[in-house]
Every structure is written in C-alpha cells, then in structure tokens.
Amino acid sequence: MAARVLVAEDDPKQANLLRIYLEREGHAVAVVGDGRAALERARAQAPDLVVLDVLMPIVDGLDVCRILRAESDLPILLVTARSTENDLLLGLDLGADDYLTKPYSPRELVARVRALLRRAGRGAADDDVLVVDDLTIDAGRFEVRVAGRPVSLTGKEFAILRALAAEPGRVLTRAQIIDRVFGFDQHVLARTVDAHVMNLRRKIEPDPAAPRYVQTVYGRGYRLREPR
C-alpha cells in the first residue's frame, strides 16, 4: 500500500535514512526539520501518515501531535528518546496512534507504518494505476511499463515520475520537485533535477529528444501529459 508519508525529524542523517527505507516500500516521502514546518506541510498536503519526532525545534513534537489530532484523524507515529512510561502515555493521550523509542530499527518503523496505514485504510490501493498512451505507472507496485515492457527506474527517477503523475497536466517547478523528492537535502541544484529527468526520458520516451510524456514547460518546469 503506497502512501504519502510526512517525516518530521530534525536530524538530517536520520531523516534521510527513514526516507530511503520508506521509499523502498513505495511511499512518497516528504521531510521537514522542525515542528512548525510539520504543521504547515501537514495542513497543505494532507499526508496519509506522519512520522513525528518528539524533540523538535520551534514547536515540540508533542504539541504538533496535539494540534494535528484536533484537526484531523491522520495516523501519527511518534518517535521519541523519552522512554519512561509517563512520557509514552502522554504521547498516546495526546492522540498518537503508535510510538517507537530511540534507538530503533528502520525496518521496524516501516513495519509500524505499514500496520498503521492498513488499520486506517489509507494510502494508494494496488489498483492505483495511471495510463498515458503506452506508459503505465503503477504506484502501488512501484512499477512502470512502456508498451507492456517493464522499465527499471532508480528511486529518484520513480519519485519524480510519481510526483508528476500525482497531478497530470500540472506544471511542477524544479523547486517543487526538489521539495517533494529530495526534501531535507537543501544542496540539490536545479540541474540535478534536469539530469534525473534526462535519464528518465531515456528510459520511457520513444524519442527522448521530443518527449511525449514528461514535457518541459520552458521558464516553468515539468509536467506529465494528461491521459486522453
């Protein structure tokens, strides 16, 4: 079950590790580094699940949990270094659906995310498929086919294609693609996006020099052509 997962974690290394494991599971992952950004992103993008570190700058993770629970029923997985029973009970009382204490295994976190999504009935179903002419994007199975032939994409190539496929016809700027695909890594340049798109086109386009699917809107960014 593929889903939109928001990771609120102020440690860049830990955030990147969680992104890698969750993307391997097929999820679309956004990362923020403080509590205020977590609230803003959750309100703007309505994720299917939030992984929330308790010890967050600007706005504490427990306050974020309380506010989000008052506003919605999205699943919240708390990650905390506070291991006393009172701390854990407080998080659950504030509305968290589950918790993990540090240190933890990323594989266990992925399993907890999977269980919460299944329990909540959220995320993209296995038949969540977009077809544009001969291009088939199966988000649930993390698969792309061209004229029935499976295409092997890297994680970043698939993430870019999936971001575009989420809103066919809508132009995403390079900055928006960086935010949705790379998240915490603020050192990614616009030309890095262009390089991934070039490689993606080589794999899915009949003629990469005249792209049919991933189109350039000059001065703006990229879009996936709408299905007919």
Side-chain angles (χ1 to χ4, degrees), residues 168-199:
R170 179 185 174 186
V171 178
L172 293 185
T173 67
R174 289 166 178 81
Q176 288 173 318
I177 292 173
I178 289 172
D179 183 59
R180 298 184 187 191
V181 174
F182 297 88
F184 218 118
D185 190 352
Q186 299 301 314
H187 301 293
V188 175
L189 303 176
R191 63 174 176 265
T192 303
V193 175
D194 295 337
H196 283 297
V197 170
M198 181 177 65
N199 291 332

Side-chain angles (χ1 to χ4, degrees), residues 12-78:
K13 290 184 179 179
Q14 186 68 22
N16 189 55
L17 182 63
L18 294 181
R19 175 193 290 281
I20 290 170
Y21 273 84
L22 289 167
E23 285 183 346
R24 284 178 184 171
E25 188 79 359
H27 301 309
V29 182
V31 176
V32 294
D34 64 72
R36 180 184 299 165
L39 288 171
E40 292 173 351
R41 183 66 66 89
R43 289 165 173 165
Q45 297 189 352
D48 295 306
L49 181 142
V50 176
V51 177
L52 180 61
D53 186 19
V54 169
L55 298 177
M56 296 279 287
I58 304 181
V59 180
D60 183 83
L62 291 177
D63 288 331
V64 174
C65 179
R66 175 179 53 79
I67 294 168
L68 288 179
R69 179 54 67 238
E71 296 178 351
S72 72
D73 62 351
L74 83 162
I76 300 172
L77 173 58
L78 279 183

Side-chain angles (χ1 to χ4, degrees), residues 81-130:
R82 302 170 178 172
S83 57
T84 69
E85 183 179 29
N86 287 340
D87 289 327
L88 300 178
L89 291 176
L90 176 60
L92 295 174
D93 286 342
L94 290 175
D97 296 276
D98 199 357
Y99 63 84
L100 274 176
T101 56
K102 295 181 178 181
Y104 58 86
S105 162
R107 293 170 62 186
E108 181 182 2
L109 183 139
V110 170
R112 298 284 187 99
V113 166
R114 188 186 306 125
L116 286 174
L117 289 170
R118 184 169 57 245
R119 189 187 312 163
R122 289 175 176 253
D126 286 346
D127 62 352
D128 185 14
V129 177
L130 177 68

Side-chain angles (χ1 to χ4, degrees), residues 204-225:
I204 69 171
E205 297 285 359
D207 181 2
R212 176 191 301 176
Y213 305 119
V214 178
Q215 302 172 336
T216 300
V217 179
Y218 291 99
R220 298 286 303 281
Y222 299 102
R223 70 182 173 199
L224 183 70
R225 204 191 77 198

